[in-house]
Amino acid sequence: NVPISEKMTTIILSAGRPGKKWTVEGYKIVSEFIKSRGYLPVLIGSPLEYEESKDIEETGALNLVRKDKFFMDLDNLARFLTLSRVVIGGDTGLTHLADAVGTRVIGLYGPNRPYKSSPYNNQDLVISTNDSTKKLGDISPRQVISKLENLLV
């Protein structure tokens, strides 16, 4: 059973390739900030992110990443994402799904050009290193937190 609350923020750990993944340390810092604002960080991802999710879970996040299977199908995930206050994730189909169902999305972009592939309804929340290093790891937790400060009120 997943505790559904108006005070959920979803963190998407999945990415199509390693260059589109943010750092575990970054997600840990952001998860701690989310908790400090009274929101529940919820981790989702594929079994490939299981070990990473266990590290982030230590911050008090609700970990829905499973070792051997996906926690829910896309239909239920779309419904779940509509209940999140904010979704944070890299350039992946799941961030676009969150955008499509009307949820605020902080998109993290490195190798891909955000002006071509960022979440259409949340372009003002995109953080990108595409014009410099193109490395997602160069996005600082402070940059993500500055976007969250206005959304987690």
Side-chain angles (χ1 to χ4, degrees):
N1 288 335
V2 178
I4 302 297
S5 162
E6 293 176 358
K7 300 204 95 173
M8 287 189 317
T9 298
T10 302
I11 297 173
I12 299 172
L13 302 177
S14 297
R17 60 181 191 263
K20 291 183 170 187
K21 290 179 95 167
W22 199 36
T23 66
V24 169
E25 191 57 36
Y27 279 129
K28 285 173 85 170
I29 293 167
V30 167
S31 179
E32 289 169 348
F33 174 79
I34 292 167
K35 288 285 288 184
S36 76
R37 285 291 176 106
Y39 285 79
L40 176 64
V42 179
L43 308 175
I44 62 170
S46 76
L48 297 174
E49 288 83 36
Y50 179 75
E51 293 303 323
E52 296 167 359
S53 73
K54 296 304 283 179
D55 286 342
I56 301 165
E57 181 181 14
E58 294 172 2
T59 66
L62 174 63
N63 190 355
L64 300 183
V65 180
R66 298 295 174 256
K67 190 174 192 172
D68 57 348
K69 63 181 179 176
F70 288 93
F71 183 74
M72 64 182 86
D73 61 26
L74 280 177
D75 185 40
N76 284 314
L77 179 59
R79 289 185 181 117
F80 179 80
L81 293 173
T82 65
L83 303 173
S84 294
R85 175 71 176 193
V86 181
V87 170
I88 304 163
D91 177 15
T92 181
L94 298 182
T95 55
H96 290 281
L97 178 61
D99 181 65
V101 298
T103 303
R104 301 295 286 163
V105 176
I106 298 175
L108 309 177
Y109 281 73
N112 288 351
R113 292 178 226 127
Y115 65 87
K116 287 181 81 175
S117 60
S118 64
Y120 181 77
N121 297 304
N122 288 280
Q123 293 179 354
D124 58 323
L125 295 176
V126 168
I127 302 168
S128 175
T129 59
N130 186 263
D131 59 348
S132 58
T133 66
K134 296 186 180 352
K135 295 179 183 174
L136 221 58
D138 289 343
I139 293 174
S140 74
R142 182 72 222 147
Q143 289 173 282
V144 178
I145 289 169
S146 71
K147 299 280 187 187
L148 282 170
E149 286 174 331
N150 297 326
L151 298 170
L152 301 182
V153 290

